Structures are given as structure tokens and as C-alpha cells.
Amino acid sequence: MIYAVWVPLLMPFLAVPAARRLADALSPVRAVRLLAATGAGLALCSLLALALLVVPGATRFSVVSAPGELVRPLSDAVPAATVPLAAAALALLVGCAVAVVRAARRHWTELRPAGRLEGHADGELAVLRDSRPDAYALPGRPGTPGRIVVTTGMLRALDPAERDALLAHERAHLVGRHHLFIAAIEAAALCHPALRSLRAPMSYALERCADEAAADAVGDRWITARAIGRAALAARAAEGASRPRPRVALAAVAGPVPRRVAALLGRNAARTRVGRAAAAALLACLVASGAAALDATSDLHSGIEAAQGENAQH
């Protein structure tokens, strides 16, 4: 266990470089799914590894070893090393739990009903009377509909076909519940610092998902690319004066717009071999992390049984 338990804590550092290659090398939907599975899996394995580091040090204390009928500690290491390591692992576990709970509460609070928005609302669309160009998808809580929020300034900046593409993009965010993928990656990042680097590729992959959905909806990739480009230019021209968006909002003008436009126009063709290699590397990291965590858990269980067996012999 002493070696296997460290693998889940180190594996995220190896997974992140491969994750950065996914968004352009795989289809957006596959990239989102793989990034979400990798982030959640590596985060859970790292938490399990921390928990496994706590147990040997805890058995140094009779309050823990007595209920388990252990006659000796599970670790052969000296207490001067085992106990501080267990204390540090426990502190990290508690810190992660507190951070994730706070993030979940903040996310829930920010999913405010879209009906509170000022302006004219027509079904899922809420039009704000504001000369500053902006548009975003504002998800709602379970049981409450989300809203597509667009300002009058943004509507004036686009022609009718471009408006349809922009609204289709934001609608795809709502239908796909993309804010949940962002929340999952944020939670994973709170569990392991290396997983923070998954935020950017996940955000980009989600925007690409919405771009492709918009292109399918309007039936024209050029119009969709033009709408995204013109919306981004209009929004950035008024960036200093624009009102801040809610944290849970997903906007078509976010992220690396030139890369997204190039992908829509086929100038950044998906590199199948690179995508497969990156996906294989991520899956290998996930499998290795899970296998090491299971191996360390099995070793810990065997150690407990051995300590209890000695007690039974006595």
C-alpha cells in the first residue's frame, strides 16, 4: 500500500497534458464526456488515497485500534512519520469536503429563477433593454426553466440569420445542462490542484458542443461562425461598460472565439490519431489511478485482517 497509495495523487499531473489535446482532436461531445469522467474519476481516486493515508496513522491511537480489535498498528513506520502524514491527509480531506460543500451551495444559490430578470420575457427568451451587446444562457434550478438572456444591443448588432444562430447556441447550453459539467469540473478541481487545468478544455469543449448544435439548427456553418464572431467583437468592444454576468451563465462570446470559428469552418480539422492517443492516455491514467486505489485498499484490508488475526491467536 505504501507505494500504490501515491499513484492516485500523482496521476492527475500526467493526465492534464493529454486533456488539453482533446478539445480539438475529438468531437466536442466525446471530449466533454471524457473530460467529465476523467475529472470525476481522478478526483474520487485521490480522495480515496488520502483516506487510506489516514487509517495507518489513526491506528496508532487506542481509541481507533481498540474498536477494531487491533493489537498493533497497521503501519510499520515510526509514529514520527506516520501520525503527521495521517494528520496532513485528514486536514486535506476535511478541506476538500468543506470547499466542495461551499461550492455546491454557491452554485445552487446562483441558479436563481430566470423570471427575476428585468426586461421583456417571451418563453425561454428574456430581452434586456440595454445598449451594451451581450447574450448568455442562464440555467434554472431543477423544475424551473432556464432562460436565454440577450440585450437589445446584441440584437441590433446581428442580422436575423445571425440572431437565430446565436439563440440556437445558447439554447444548446440549456438543453445540454452544460452548467452541470462546469460544476463537476469545479468540484474535481477543489479535490486536486492539478485538475484545475481541466477547466479551460472543458469550457472550450462545451462551447464547441453548442457551436455544432447551432450549426445543425440553422443548417449553415458559415452563418453560425459569422454570428459567433460578430457577437464576440460587439461584446468585447463594450467590455468595459458591460454588466457582469452571473457565474453560472454560459455565453457564446466566451473562450477562444477564433479557434471555435476555425473549427466551424473546417480550418482546424479533427486529428483522429491525436484524439485517439489523447483519449487513450486519459483512460490509461484513469485506469491506473483506480487500479492503484483498489490495490492500496486491498492491502489495507489484508493488514487489518492480519492484525485482528494476531489478536485472535492471543
Side-chain angles (χ1 to χ4, degrees):
M1 177 181 129
I2 190 170
Y3 299 110
V5 76
W6 294 104
V7 173
L9 297 175
L10 298 175
M11 200 55 65
F13 293 101
L14 299 178
V16 166
R20 292 171 179 165
R21 307 295 297 275
L22 278 181
D24 284 323
L26 284 183
S27 69
V29 173
R30 291 180 179 177
V32 166
R33 291 174 180 172
L34 187 53
L35 286 171
T38 300
L42 292 178
L44 290 174
C45 288
S46 65
L47 292 179
L48 177 57
L50 289 176
L52 293 174
L53 288 173
V54 171
V55 177
T59 59
R60 294 282 179 178
F61 301 95
S62 59
V63 67
V64 176
S65 60
E69 300 180 352
L70 305 179
V71 296
R72 64 177 178 83
L74 298 180
S75 174
D76 295 330
V78 295
T82 306
V83 174
L85 180 61
L90 180 61
L92 289 174
L93 275 176
V94 173
C96 289
V98 172
V100 170
V101 169
R102 286 180 176 175
R105 291 181 61 184
R106 183 177 64 249
H107 183 80
W108 178 259
T109 301
E110 290 171 349
L111 293 177
R112 57 179 180 173
R116 296 181 184 177
L117 290 169
E118 298 177 357
H120 174 69
D122 183 14
E124 68 176 358
L125 180 62
V127 179
L128 302 184
R129 296 186 179 279
D130 193 332
S131 60
R132 296 165 292 191
D134 200 7
Y136 53 86
L138 183 61
R141 293 178 179 178
T144 60
R147 285 283 174 85
I148 298 172
V149 182
V150 61
T151 64
T152 52
M154 180 62 81
L155 293 177
R156 285 194 294 267
L158 306 177
D159 63 35
E162 292 168 348
R163 293 173 198 164
D164 290 340
L166 181 67
L167 296 180
H169 175 102
E170 303 301 353
R171 186 176 297 110
H173 281 315
L174 295 179
V175 173
R177 308 291 286 175
H178 289 172
H179 68 286
L180 296 180
F181 291 99
I182 295 293
I185 287 297
E186 290 289 343
L190 294 173
C191 297
H192 196 291
L195 297 178
R196 296 173 186 171
S197 297
L198 294 182
R199 294 169 177 167
M202 174 61 85
S203 297
Y204 175 72
L206 288 173
E207 291 303 326
R208 285 284 299 116
C209 283
D211 291 344
E212 293 296 329
D216 290 341
V218 300
D220 193 318
R221 302 180 70 82
W222 168 253
I223 289 178
T224 304
R226 192 177 67 194
I228 293 170
R230 290 187 64 183
L233 289 174
R236 289 177 184 177
E239 190 172 4
S242 61
R243 69 174 68 185
R245 302 187 191 103
R247 287 171 54 93
V248 292
L250 293 158
V253 298
V257 173
R259 280 174 62 195
R260 291 166 49 201
V261 170
L264 275 170
L265 298 180
R267 298 173 187 166
N268 189 19
R271 293 161 289 177
T272 305
R273 292 182 180 178
V274 175
R276 289 177 179 174
L282 272 186
L283 289 174
C285 290
L286 186 56
V287 170
S289 184
L294 290 176
D295 183 50
T297 303
S298 178
D299 286 349
L300 178 62
H301 183 263
S302 299
I304 292 175
E305 287 186 335
Q308 290 174 335
E310 287 186 10
N311 188 42
Q313 292 176 2
H314 284 75

